[in-house]
């Protein structure tokens, strides 16, 4: 087995970092060495990239008029120079970008230094940084068969691999859908992403409270809430007599997903990937302010398959939620069928397929030692907030 060095570059949100982490684990399992380039937020996310060298780059956030663009350009150039210093000693065989502004200087440096580059797009709409880089990279890995904002002239270097998920979620694919009888406990998981979602806190309790009594009495709810909403939501569920376990953060989310019969959630890329790999039916409420409305496009494949119901936020009312809940939940066979349809959209081999692509695009590894370059401290105001 040939051992190579790889640099992964990702912005500091879970949507970028989780698939990068999954790829890192797969590459390390194959005997390769990995370094991560990210921002301060990414370096602080717990449970990711343990034992991997992490480098924080200054990265300009594009926008803010002429002054903002000038500042961004200054930071991008500084980040590119720092990345090139890393490459001089780490000698990567390829650099893989996962979107987010820290990926931009890392990939620009690789392209200037003649190192193969790939980008991975988690959403069904090509993100801003990936759009800037699409023309110059050697390969584009996608998570959906149909990706918006991807120019036709770039299609010859597109590879559909899916969106890598954590091993704990991947393990759920081999588990059966939780047994459900007409009178059995009906477990609902409500999650709005890493920060929760106030709209879910305001609508879901009232919607569940409108269900027929025989259905409502079967409910057991686990819900992620914002800290400022949690006590009000707890009081609302108590008043309705619905058992509810509420938290602002769920480190054991894969375990909770394992025994859930239905998920009510936003339509972020990682959420969709986990639902479809695990095979869990869902009611999806895309975030309307998401860039290029990408969450609506994310949800379409799952909704069209019958694995999910998609409700636009403007139409997301307690009445509509109760109606969709009854359509999905009153017949155990219908719910199990939706679970199978959701699973049919999953791409459980995403991490392996992406790693295969990365290896195919790699340069012959240089025979270098394990020395690493240390980045100089970023000047005040230089790192991306």
């Amino acid at each position: 087995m040939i051992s190579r060095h790889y640099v992964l570059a990702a912005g500091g949100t879970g949507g970028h970092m989780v698939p990068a982490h999954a790829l890192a684990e797969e590459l390390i399992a194959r005997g390769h060495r990995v370094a991560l380039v990210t921002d301060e937020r990414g370096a602080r996310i717990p449970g990711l990239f343990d034992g991997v060298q992490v480098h924080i780059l200054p990265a300009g956030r594009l926008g803010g008029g002429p002054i903002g663009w000038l500042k961004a350009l200054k930071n991008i150039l500084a980040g590119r120079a720092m990345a090139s210093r890393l490459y001089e000693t780490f000698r990567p065989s390829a650099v893989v970008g996962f979107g987010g502004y820290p990926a931009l200087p890392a990939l620009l440096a690789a392209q200037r230094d003649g190192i193969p580059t790939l980008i991975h797009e988690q959403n069904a709409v090509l993100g801003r940084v990936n759009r800037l880089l699409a023309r110059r990279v050697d390969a584009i890995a996608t998570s959906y068969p149909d990706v918006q904002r991807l120019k036709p002239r770039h299609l010859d270097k597109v590879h559909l691999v899916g969106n890598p998920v954590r091993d704990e979620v991947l393990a759920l694919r081999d588990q059966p859908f939780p047994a459900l009888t007409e009178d059995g406990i009906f477990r609902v998981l409500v999650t709005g992403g890493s920060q929760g979602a106030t709209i879910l806190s305001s609508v879901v309790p009232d919607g569940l409270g409108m269900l027929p009594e025989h259905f409502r009495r079967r409910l057991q709810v686990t819900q992620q809430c914002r800290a400022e909403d949690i006590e009000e939501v707890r009081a609302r569920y108590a008043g309705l007599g619905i058992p509810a376990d509420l938290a602002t953060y769920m480190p054991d989310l894969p375990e909770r997903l394992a025994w859930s019969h239905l998920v009510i959630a936003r339509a972020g890329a990682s959420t969709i990937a986990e639902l479809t790999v695990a095979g869990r039916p869902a009611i999806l409420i895309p975030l309307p302010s998401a860039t290029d409305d990408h969450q609506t496009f994310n949800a379409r494949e799952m909704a069209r398959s019958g694995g999910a119901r998609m409700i636009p936020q403007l139409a997301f009312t307690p009445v509509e939620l109760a109606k969709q809940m009854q359509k999905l939940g009153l017949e155990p066979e219908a719910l199990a069928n939706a679970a199978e349809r959701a699973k049919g959209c999953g791409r459980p081999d995403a991490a392996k397929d992406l790693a295969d692509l990365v290896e195919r695009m790699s340069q012959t590894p240089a025979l270098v030692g394990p020395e690493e370059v240390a980045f100089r401290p970023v000047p005040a105001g230089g790192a991306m907030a």
Side-chain angles (χ1 to χ4, degrees), residues 137-159:
V137 297
D138 299 291
I140 301 170
T142 63
S143 302
Y144 295 87
D146 183 20
V147 178
Q148 307 296 310
R149 305 296 293 270
L150 181 61
K151 294 182 179 179
R153 66 174 180 267
H154 299 147
L155 293 178
D156 60 343
K157 54 184 173 181
V158 169
H159 304 263

Side-chain angles (χ1 to χ4, degrees), residues 318-377:
V319 172
E320 182 63 21
L321 175 61
K323 182 173 70 174
Q324 297 299 336
M325 280 282 296
Q326 291 180 78
K327 287 182 178 179
L328 274 172
L330 285 178
E331 296 183 15
E333 289 186 6
L335 194 67
N337 183 54
E340 282 300 313
R341 291 176 179 271
K343 183 180 285 188
C345 297
R347 295 178 176 86
D349 295 326
K352 293 179 180 179
D353 290 345
L354 182 56
D356 288 346
L357 175 62
V358 170
E359 288 182 331
R360 290 199 303 271
M361 302 299 298
S362 301
Q363 290 178 334
T364 301
L367 299 177
V368 297
E371 66 272 16
E372 299 169 5
V373 66
F375 283 171
R376 297 173 186 171

